[in-house]
Amino acid sequence: MTAHATETDIDRVRQKIESLGFRAHIMPGAQKTAIGITGNPGPIDPAEFEDLPGVAEAIRVSKPYKLVSREVKSEDSIINVRGVPVGGPELVFCGGPCSVESREQILESARAVKAAGGQLLRGGAYKPRTSPYSFQGLGEEGLKLLAEAREATGLGIVTEAIDVETFELVEEYADCVQIGARNMQNFSLLRRAGRSRKPILLKRGMSSTLEEFLMAAEYVLSEGNYQVILCERGVRTFTDHTRNTLDLSVVPAVQGLSHLPIIVDPSHGTGKRDKVHPMALASIAAGASGLLVEVHPTPDRALSDGYQSLYPEQFLEVVKDCRAIAALLAHRRNRQQAYA
Ligand code: PEP
Ligand code: MN
C-alpha cells in the first residue's frame, strides 16, 4: 500500500482477497502497510488489485517463502518484546542462564543482565536435552520464577516451548516464546506458534539451509503471527575446536531476503566461554540486531551449558564492546535501514 493509504483502503483490499477465497495477511510497517496473500492455488492477475485506491503495487512473489520475503514487505520488521524493539536502531541484548534452576539463581542472573544493560532475560523451563537423564528443566515452577524475575527487574522474558502440549502454559508466562534448533522443523509446533499472540524467537536448525530456516519462519507467519525474530546459533560442521560453527554470513543473507530481524547466539554457536566475546563482536559487526547470550552467576555449578555460560562481569564487557562496535558502524547500519 502507499504511505498515504487509509484504513478503509486496507480493508477494501482485505475484503477483495477474502472474497476470492484467499487469506489476507496485513503487515503494518513504519511507513507503509504490506498485504500478503496466501491460499491461492495459482498466480493471481496483479491487475485485480492495482487499480484499488491506496495500492502502490501488486507483486508476484518469486520466492518459495512468501510472507517472510522482502518482496512482500520491503521495510524491516521491528518486533516489540514487552516494549523492547527488536530489529530497530538499538541493539538488543538478551542474557540469562541456559536453564532456570532456582529462585536465587534466576534472580541473580536477572539482576546481572539488567546491571550490564541487557533488556531481556532468557532461561529455559522446558529443556530439549540430548540425554533423557539430564536435567529437563523445572517446568511450570521455572516459568513462575521467570515471572518473579521479570517483576523484580522489569526485564522481558524469553523462554522455550518444546512441544505443542506445553505451549499454552509457556506463552502465558513468556514475553517471547523461543523455538529451539531441534524443533525448527517441528511443523505442528511452528503452526501453534503461528496462532500465538506472543512474539516468537526462532532458532536456526543445526543443519538447516537458509531456505529451510526462512520456510520454518513462513509456517509461523502463514498462521497469522508476523512477530518473528530469527536467531543464528551455529551449524554442525567437521570442526572440533567449537561445539558448532557460527555461520555469520547468514546475517547479511537473511537481511537481503527477509524483513524479519536476525540476532545471534554466540554461546551455542561456539560452546566455549572464551569464544563468546570475540564472536559476539563479530556478530554485531556483521549487522545482527542483537545477541542471545548465556550468563550464569556460577557457571561451574550450572545444570546445563555451564562451559559456554559467561560470568556476569564478562557479559557486561560483551554489552559494552558490542555497543562500541555498533556506534562505530552506525553509518552502515543506518544506510542498511534506509535501503530497506
Ligand atoms: C538454548 O537456547 O538453551 C538452546 C537449547 O538452544 P538451541 O535450540 O539453539 O540448541
Ligand atoms: Mn543452552
Side-chain angles (χ1 to χ4, degrees):
M1 305 298 288
T2 64
H4 308 293
T6 64
E7 285 300 315
T8 315
D9 294 338
I10 292 167
D11 206 52
R12 195 181 297 108
V13 174
R14 181 185 60 75
Q15 281 176 28
K16 165 102 190 190
I17 294 167
E18 289 173 358
S19 74
L20 292 166
F22 310 141
R23 182 161 179 175
H25 300 268
I26 299 172
M27 296 184 277
Q31 314 289 331
K32 314 177 272 191
T33 291
I35 305 178
I37 304 176
T38 59
N40 48 308
I44 306 171
D45 185 358
E48 294 250 29
F49 294 94
E50 269 163 353
D51 294 336
L52 294 179
V55 172
E57 52 180 343
I59 307 161
R60 273 195 197 134
V61 177
S62 63
K63 299 284 193 304
Y65 37 87
K66 308 291 178 193
L67 302 172
V68 309
S69 78
R70 271 221 195 265
E71 287 177 272
V72 123
K73 182 171 186 279
S74 57
E75 280 178 277
D76 286 346
S77 284
I78 298 178
I79 314 299
N80 185 319
V81 181
R82 200 187 164 81
V84 176
V86 181
E90 283 289 309
L91 291 184
V92 174
F93 296 91
C94 176
C98 182
S99 308
V100 181
E101 299 167 4
S102 68
R103 172 174 288 115
E104 209 179 37
Q105 175 248 18
I106 196 65
L107 281 174
E108 220 179 298
S109 304
R111 287 193 202 104
V113 168
K114 174 103 179 173
Q119 304 99 314
L120 299 172
L121 176 69
R122 61 149 290 146
Y126 295 90
K127 295 303 302 178
R129 302 304 301 279
T130 301
S131 165
Y133 310 118
S134 300
F135 177 60
Q136 304 285 309
L138 295 179
E140 187 171 6
E141 181 53 27
L143 297 173
K144 288 184 175 155
L145 294 176
L146 283 167
E148 267 188 51
R150 168 174 54 208
E151 192 70 24
T153 58
L155 296 175
I157 301 298
V158 179
T159 193
E160 180 166 355
I162 58 171
D163 51 32
V164 172
E165 291 91 316
T166 51
F167 194 98
E168 192 172 340
L169 196 59
V170 173
E171 79 181 330
E172 210 178 286
Y173 288 92
D175 297 301
C176 176
V177 180
Q178 177 173 321
I179 305 268
R182 288 156 193 80
N183 271 318
M184 191 205 80
Q185 286 190 316
N186 180 337
F187 301 118
S188 50
L189 188 61
L190 294 173
R191 283 197 195 280
R192 178 63 187 80
R195 293 192 293 274
S196 177
R197 305 188 60 144
K198 295 283 169 73
I200 305 298
L201 178 80
L202 178 65
K203 300 188 83 174
R204 180 181 179 187
M206 59 186 81
S207 62
S208 89
T209 63
L210 171 54
E211 188 166 306
E212 288 163 342
F213 190 19
L214 294 176
M215 286 308 249
E218 184 77 14
Y219 264 87
V220 181
L221 273 75
S222 74
E223 293 288 330
N225 187 353
Y226 312 118
Q227 305 177 81
V228 175
I229 301 160
L230 302 170
C231 180
E232 160 63 24
R233 48 78 71 204
V235 292
R236 278 261 165 104
T237 67
F238 49 82
T239 59
D240 55 7
H241 66 285
T242 52
R243 180 180 181 187
N244 290 297
T245 297
L246 196 60
D247 179 18
L248 288 183
S249 65
V250 86
V251 172
V254 161
Q255 288 167 340
L257 295 172
S258 177
H259 53 88
L260 297 176
I262 178 156
I263 66 169
V264 173
D265 170 357
S267 305
H268 295 85
T270 62
K272 305 236 165 119
R273 186 179 303 132
D274 64 328
K275 310 284 186 299
V276 172
H277 183 273
M279 296 315 286
L281 297 186
S283 305
I284 299 309
S289 290
L291 296 175
L292 186 74
V293 180
E294 287 186 338
V295 185
H296 196 290
T298 49
D300 305 336
R301 281 188 268 141
L303 296 181
S304 59
D305 287 351
Y307 38 83
Q308 68 190 31
S309 299
L310 298 186
Y311 288 90
E313 56 274 22
Q314 291 179 308
F315 181 61
L316 190 125
E317 288 293 308
V318 164
V319 173
K320 191 168 59 108
D321 293 346
C322 285
R323 291 215 166 109
I325 294 274
L328 194 66
L329 299 177
H331 59 289
R332 267 190 74 81
R333 300 178 77 89
N334 295 340
R335 193 154 13 113
Q336 274 161 3
Q337 275 169 6
Y339 171 71

